[in-house]
Amino acid sequence: GIWFGQEHWLSNKQLVKLKQLDVQFVARSGMEDALTSGVMRGRPYGGVCISWSRDLNHIIKPLTDYNHKRVVAIKLSTTKQNIVFVSVYMPFLDSRNRESCRTETVETISMIETIIDDHPDHLFVIGGDLNCELNGSSPFDEYWDNLITRKRPGYTYHHESLGQKKKIDHFIVSKEIFDSAICSNHKIMEDGQNPSDHLPISMSMRIEARPCNKGDAEPILLP
């Protein structure tokens, strides 16, 4: 399988801890090393990653040329079509810092657009916490309009003490994937053992991959 993750809360020096999960991964940290010592104040950005089962090593290549703290991407090569997976964690709209949030939002989406433009013959799966519901209620929804075709499930964020339920975690896929049987079984996964306010989302993809060769190299992992 392939897993998208946000807010892993690991500094650059701590990213190696992801290897304890016995998966391969590509990850970036939003945590300064100083934040990992002493009492942490506020709510800094916590990082983004993609991890995958080791048996997919021979068909996955991390796209390491795109350096953005909120975006990581990998390319999966199949017998019929190459697919780029992008994990993203968008900034939260802070009304007190609207302009800086707008700037960071535009920069993040611009990075995704660059990856798309650089891979014109690829299909795309974009997933993560977009921090907006894509229903026109956010002033930043317009920045996604030229990038996506929208499909909205039930809520994916539930803050019980505040009484909030929102749809802010999404998968965005190429129209060819959306219109075909490649992508199916979309789920919002409710599990009482999950302590997060965010519910995991999942989908299944039917692909044909080339067999593994013993000479295939290990993928390059970001620091």
Side-chain angles (χ1 to χ4, degrees), residues 17-23 51:
K17 292 184 177 182
L18 290 175
K19 289 186 176 181
Q20 296 175 4
L21 301 177
D22 195 31
V23 295
S51 57

Side-chain angles (χ1 to χ4, degrees), residues 101-150:
C101 182
R102 184 187 304 274
T103 297
E104 191 168 13
T105 296
V106 171
E107 289 177 350
T108 305
I109 294 179
S110 294
M111 175 56 69
I112 297 172
E113 290 178 328
T114 297
I115 297 174
I116 292 173
D117 290 342
D118 288 350
H119 298 83
D121 299 325
H122 293 60
L123 300 180
F124 275 80
V125 176
I126 304 169
D129 182 357
L130 304 190
N131 264 316
C132 60
E133 298 196 57
L134 301 181
N135 61 4
S137 62
S138 168
F140 298 156
D141 279 359
E142 61 184 284
Y143 300 124
W144 290 99
D145 286 348
N146 294 328
L147 187 66
I148 65 172
T149 299
R150 297 198 286 249

Side-chain angles (χ1 to χ4, degrees), residues 50-78:
I50 300 177
S51 57
W52 60 91
S53 302
R54 292 180 180 272
D55 57 1
L56 298 179
N57 278 353
H58 63 295
I59 57 172
I60 286 182
K61 176 184 178 181
L63 299 181
T64 58
D65 294 334
Y66 303 93
N67 189 2
H68 192 284
K69 69 178 184 179
R70 291 184 174 272
V71 177
V72 292
I74 61 173
K75 181 175 74 173
L76 183 146
S77 299
T78 74

